[in-house]
Amino acid sequence: MPVKTIDWKNGTVRIVDQTKLPGKLVFLDCHTPEEVWRAIRRLAVRGAPAIGIAAAMGLALGARASRASNRAGFMKEVKRIARYLATARPTAVNLFWALRRMIKVAEKAREAGVPELKKILEREAIAILREDNDICSRIGENGSSLIKEGAGILTHCNAGGLATGRYGTALSVIFAAHEKGRRIRVFADETRPLLQGSRLTAWELTHAGIETTLICDNMAARVMYEGKVDIVITGADRIAANGDTANKIGTYGLARLAEVHGIPFYIAAPLSTVDLDTPCGEMIPIEERDPDEVRRIGELWIAPRRVDVYNPAFDVTPARFIRAIITEAGIVRPPYKKNLASIVMKAEREKAVMERKPAE
Amino acid sequence: MPVKTIDWKNGTVRIVDQTKLPGKLVFLDCHTPEEVWRAIRRLAVRGAPAIGIAAAMGLALGARASRASNRAGFMKEVKRIARYLATARPTAVNLFWALRRMIKVAEKAREAGVPELKKILEREAIAILREDNDICSRIGENGSSLIKEGAGILTHCNAGGLATGRYGTALSVIFAAHEKGRRIRVFADETRPLLQGSRLTAWELTHAGIETTLICDNMAARVMYEGKVDIVITGADRIAANGDTANKIGTYGLARLAEVHGIPFYIAAPLSTVDLDTPCGEMIPIEERDPDEVRRIGELWIAPRRVDVYNPAFDVTPARFIRAIITEAGIVRPPYKKNLASIVMKAEREKAVMERKPAE
């Protein structure tokens, strides 16, 4: 079973301290919004969904400790804490989304007194976690049919539970196949420059008892050539309307190598990753990161200090190299333009129906 | 101009201390066989040709300092020093080859007295360096015609001057194109796990004033996709009779990626790398190295300490993905089985004629 990256236990937010991985599995118990803020700031918790969950729970902690005697005073205090938590990682979209959702649910409960509002906020934070777990486990369930008994699976970066509440996306598929008793072997690319594969994925998979072999990124082609890989699965940062997919640098090369070796290449991602407003991959800007990520590891300089570096954070894999996209609502196959639009629309209609329900 | 990795100056062997790279360019002056032994042992000098040259020069230093009064005593002392130098890197074939060649030339000069023998050994050590430089510069000259004005060149690992006397193999082609005034840009793969690309190639190229961009191995596909690469050139560790080529892990993947992007892929290597007794790549054993090379960098653990690792030192690129092989005797194109055999035979015939000459 994958570790619970983040959990709520009786007024305590328990977080896996990812700065201690892969060396040690240390749980961090946070009792105040300030402790959660520090955990987010110093990257003890990372990954967009996980940050959102942590922030929501941090807000619930603050609400719980409030001594406000009336609704107005309580709401004022909660909003102040939300603004404070939002400063922990100023670029994390999920952080703002989760905090806004928390404030909204409290505002909606117009008749509730302070004790009830505290309960509502606690329930909402736990709901955000559960929804994330639910999406991830449905991705896993949907994708697991693609993993055959004895399969060799190659993955890149960390599309794992450590970035989400628990299961992850690409790794959720692997966890699900493993839990169904299928014998599998995972090859985890170390994923330079930030080594999410060796630091996080290799740790997560071995911790869950899954046979895992760590390789350097440049060994993937050899492992494919040796016939050890039956399927490649990665996560996604953004999927354009035509299926072109931005993901961690190195994904595109893997997709091309999979193609020439006759190995199917899959993306596993929640529908929230699909951006129908972006028509194709060429429209996705590629972030270039600090050259020192490539020039040094920790305090050790591994290259000349002033050498030119090209350090794109992502690459784009054209849709034609992607066999299918595994989502919580099902496996989407080409033609992606039509099929992605229809699955996203359908999910939005269902969500709208769900949200209207309480008012009916 | 590339730096002189190893040089002989009036009874001093001057070696670039590669353990100080890429941080600092430090020259190590060795005056005794013991100093050369230590330089080889602690990897201050590395790369098969460079080790052979260093050992030969170490022996010349020992001979120079000999106080033997007669030929027999001198030869006994020189052989003792050769046996000692051979222990510096017990697996380095070039080390034994160079030392045997030195002993042989002294034994052949039956009439020479001690002072003359000292000179003969010094000349032979310098000849080994010059021959290596000559082979490398002819590889560079032959390959430079393939590098067009404005070319983007991708290379992997360090097939550079630091492994040889001065010019290297793949890098010799690049140096030659640069010296001809061609505007070029080199993309250097960092080459995990041992990072020869970032530590050595990036340093060598920038030191020679060549525009160089360091990338992680998994970025090569993206750089090709962006149209920045016109040619890929790597070295070789061993070339089978049919042209299948073993080289640093990652080379095979590059060759496949080059193919799908329509980019020509070349090998640059001396004819001594061609092994006509090995019919094809499947017969080349792939050395697996210490998993800790992947699990940690310096003292820093970057992966779980006990995670399984696959760490092949080399991979094999099938001949059909190699556009041509650049050697000191010319550019060899397919069909390799026929053309490699004929160029190797021709070179051996010429060498035999050269060696017979003094006796004629």
Side-chain angles (χ1 to χ4, degrees):
Chain A
M1 287 289 290
V3 68
K4 290 182 183 178
T5 306
I6 182 162
D7 204 9
W8 175 274
K9 292 203 188 246
N10 280 328
T12 301
V13 181
R14 174 162 281 190
I15 291 172
V16 172
D17 185 347
Q18 297 190 37
T19 65
K20 297 283 190 293
L21 292 176
K24 279 184 213 158
L25 174 56
V26 176
F27 290 96
L28 206 66
D29 282 341
C30 301
H31 306 93
T32 65
E34 289 75 17
E35 287 174 3
V36 172
W37 187 94
R38 273 196 298 274
I40 296 173
R41 170 58 67 103
R42 66 180 189 78
L43 310 182
V45 57
R46 49 155 282 287
I51 287 173
I53 297 161
M57 289 187 171
L59 190 59
L61 285 180
R64 193 184 166 100
S66 171
R67 291 182 187 175
S69 55
N70 59 46
R71 199 177 190 290
F74 178 83
M75 284 306 294
K76 204 176 151 189
E77 189 176 345
V78 163
K79 284 180 185 175
R80 185 190 53 72
I81 298 169
R83 281 194 303 274
Y84 162 70
L85 282 165
T87 63
R89 282 288 293 277
T91 58
V93 174
N94 266 54
L95 181 61
F96 314 140
W97 167 84
L99 292 168
R100 267 200 307 271
R101 177 169 157 175
M102 292 286 283
I103 297 295
K104 227 191 227 171
V105 78
E107 281 176 339
K108 249 177 152 180
R110 286 176 212 281
E111 309 301 315
V114 172
E116 208 189 327
L117 281 172
K118 289 182 178 183
K119 271 187 204 144
I120 287 173
L121 286 170
E122 181 173 325
R123 275 202 302 268
E124 193 68 9
I126 294 170
I128 292 174
L129 168 65
R130 288 213 179 121
E131 285 167 27
D132 181 73
N133 284 349
D134 185 50
I135 287 172
C136 290
S137 62
R138 278 189 284 150
I139 290 173
E141 185 57 33
N142 291 338
S144 65
S145 63
L146 302 169
I147 311 284
K148 305 284 173 260
E149 171 65 18
I153 307 161
L154 181 71
T155 190
H156 190 67
C157 197
N158 179 254
L162 288 168
T164 62
R166 187 161 187 193
Y167 302 101
T169 54
L171 292 200
S172 182
V173 174
I174 293 169
F175 289 136
H178 176 68
E179 276 160 28
K180 287 180 176 174
R182 256 165 245 155
R183 196 173 41 84
I184 53 177
R185 165 162 295 278
V186 181
F187 291 90
D189 274 358
E190 65 173 6
T191 318
R192 284 280 290 147
L194 294 182
L195 298 163
Q196 293 92 339
S198 48
R199 290 189 299 109
L200 306 177
T201 301
W203 180 86
E204 257 189 78
L205 292 172
T206 50
H207 185 79
I210 295 172
E211 276 194 55
T212 305
T213 302
L214 175 64
I215 58 172
C216 296
D217 303 310
N218 65 25
M219 295 168 188
R222 173 75 196 177
V223 176
M224 291 181 185
Y225 179 82
E226 292 176 2
K228 292 175 179 163
V229 180
D230 300 294
I231 180 170
V232 180
I233 312 180
T234 76
D237 282 274
R238 195 156 150 197
I239 301 172
N242 72 343
D244 291 353
T245 295
N247 190 45
K248 184 62 61 202
I249 185 71
T251 304
Y252 165 67
L254 276 186
R256 299 304 303 265
L257 289 169
E259 189 207 16
V260 298
H261 290 90
I263 299 165
F265 174 86
Y266 293 94
I267 294 289
L271 285 180
S272 59
T273 313
V274 178
D275 179 4
L276 294 179
D277 295 333
T278 300
C280 65
E282 301 294 315
M283 313 296 285
I284 302 174
I286 300 294
E287 176 199 358
E288 263 195 71
R289 293 179 57 85
D290 185 347
D292 280 354
E293 289 182 356
V294 176
R295 292 186 193 128
R296 69 179 183 191
I297 293 181
E299 295 305 303
L300 186 69
W301 288 85
I302 55 174
R305 286 179 191 229
R306 281 187 297 269
V307 69
D308 278 352
V309 166
Y310 180 49
N311 184 19
F314 306 106
D315 57 29
V316 174
T317 301
R320 66 183 178 282
F321 304 115
I322 301 167
R323 182 71 60 94
I325 297 169
I326 306 159
T327 78
E328 69 272 31
I331 297 176
V332 186
R333 295 185 182 272
Y336 289 117
K337 202 173 165 190
K338 178 171 157 272
N339 294 345
L340 279 174
S342 76
I343 202 165
V344 168
M345 304 297 190
K346 191 172 164 240
E348 277 172 6
R349 275 196 308 273
E350 280 168 8
K351 205 174 151 203
V353 171
M354 294 277 285
E355 277 171 5
R356 264 201 307 277
K357 259 185 191 160
E360 276 165 7
Chain B
M1 286 291 289
V3 67
K4 290 183 183 177
T5 306
I6 183 163
D7 204 9
W8 174 274
K9 291 201 189 249
N10 278 329
T12 300
V13 181
R14 174 162 279 190
I15 292 172
V16 172
D17 185 348
Q18 297 191 36
T19 65
K20 297 283 190 294
L21 293 176
K24 278 183 215 157
L25 174 57
V26 177
F27 290 95
L28 206 66
D29 282 340
C30 302
H31 305 93
T32 65
E34 289 74 17
E35 287 174 3
V36 172
W37 187 94
R38 273 197 296 276
I40 296 173
R41 168 60 66 104
R42 66 180 190 78
L43 309 183
V45 56
R46 50 154 281 288
I51 287 172
I53 297 161
M57 289 186 171
L59 190 59
L61 286 180
R64 194 184 165 99
S66 171
R67 291 184 188 173
S69 56
N70 59 47
R71 199 176 190 286
F74 178 83
M75 285 305 296
K76 206 175 149 188
E77 188 177 347
V78 163
K79 285 180 185 175
R80 187 189 54 70
I81 299 169
R83 280 193 305 273
Y84 162 72
L85 283 165
T87 64
R89 282 289 290 279
T91 57
V93 175
N94 266 54
L95 181 61
F96 313 139
W97 168 84
L99 291 168
R100 266 200 307 272
R101 176 170 159 174
M102 293 285 284
I103 297 295
K104 227 193 228 170
V105 77
E107 280 176 341
K108 249 177 153 180
R110 286 176 211 280
E111 308 302 314
V114 170
E116 208 189 326
L117 281 171
K118 290 181 177 182
K119 270 186 205 148
I120 287 173
L121 285 170
E122 181 174 325
R123 275 202 302 266
E124 193 69 9
I126 294 170
I128 292 174
L129 168 65
R130 289 214 180 121
E131 285 167 27
D132 181 73
N133 284 349
D134 184 51
I135 287 172
C136 291
S137 63
R138 277 189 286 151
I139 289 173
E141 184 57 35
N142 290 338
S144 65
S145 63
L146 302 169
I147 312 284
K148 305 280 173 263
E149 171 65 21
I153 307 161
L154 181 71
T155 189
H156 190 66
C157 197
N158 178 255
L162 287 168
T164 60
R166 187 161 188 193
Y167 302 101
T169 55
L171 293 201
S172 181
V173 174
I174 294 169
F175 288 136
H178 176 68
E179 276 159 28
K180 288 180 177 174
R182 257 164 243 154
R183 196 173 41 84
I184 53 178
R185 165 161 294 279
V186 180
F187 291 90
D189 275 358
E190 65 174 6
T191 317
R192 283 279 291 148
L194 294 182
L195 298 163
Q196 293 92 338
S198 47
R199 290 189 298 110
L200 307 176
T201 301
W203 180 86
E204 257 189 80
L205 291 172
T206 50
H207 185 80
I210 296 172
E211 275 196 55
T212 305
T213 302
L214 175 64
I215 58 172
C216 297
D217 303 310
N218 66 24
M219 296 167 186
R222 173 76 195 176
V223 176
M224 290 181 187
Y225 179 81
E226 291 176 2
K228 291 175 181 163
V229 180
D230 300 292
I231 180 171
V232 180
I233 312 180
T234 75
D237 282 275
R238 195 155 149 196
I239 301 172
N242 72 343
D244 291 353
T245 295
N247 190 44
K248 184 62 60 203
I249 186 71
T251 304
Y252 166 67
L254 277 186
R256 299 305 301 265
L257 289 168
E259 189 207 12
V260 298
H261 290 90
I263 299 165
F265 174 85
Y266 293 94
I267 294 288
L271 285 181
S272 59
T273 312
V274 179
D275 179 4
L276 294 180
D277 295 333
T278 299
C280 66
E282 301 295 316
M283 313 295 286
I284 301 175
I286 300 293
E287 175 199 358
E288 264 197 70
R289 292 178 57 85
D290 185 348
D292 280 356
E293 288 181 358
V294 176
R295 292 186 194 129
R296 69 179 184 192
I297 293 180
E299 295 305 303
L300 187 68
W301 289 85
I302 55 173
R305 286 179 192 229
R306 280 186 298 268
V307 69
D308 278 350
V309 166
Y310 180 49
N311 184 19
F314 306 106
D315 58 27
V316 173
T317 301
R320 65 184 179 281
F321 305 114
I322 302 168
R323 182 70 61 95
I325 298 169
I326 306 159
T327 77
E328 70 271 31
I331 297 176
V332 185
R333 296 185 180 271
Y336 289 117
K337 203 174 163 189
K338 177 171 157 272
N339 293 345
L340 279 174
S342 76
I343 203 166
V344 168
M345 304 297 188
K346 191 172 163 241
E348 276 171 8
R349 274 196 308 273
E350 280 168 7
K351 205 175 152 202
V353 170
M354 294 278 286
E355 277 172 4
R356 264 201 307 276
K357 258 187 193 161
E360 276 166 7

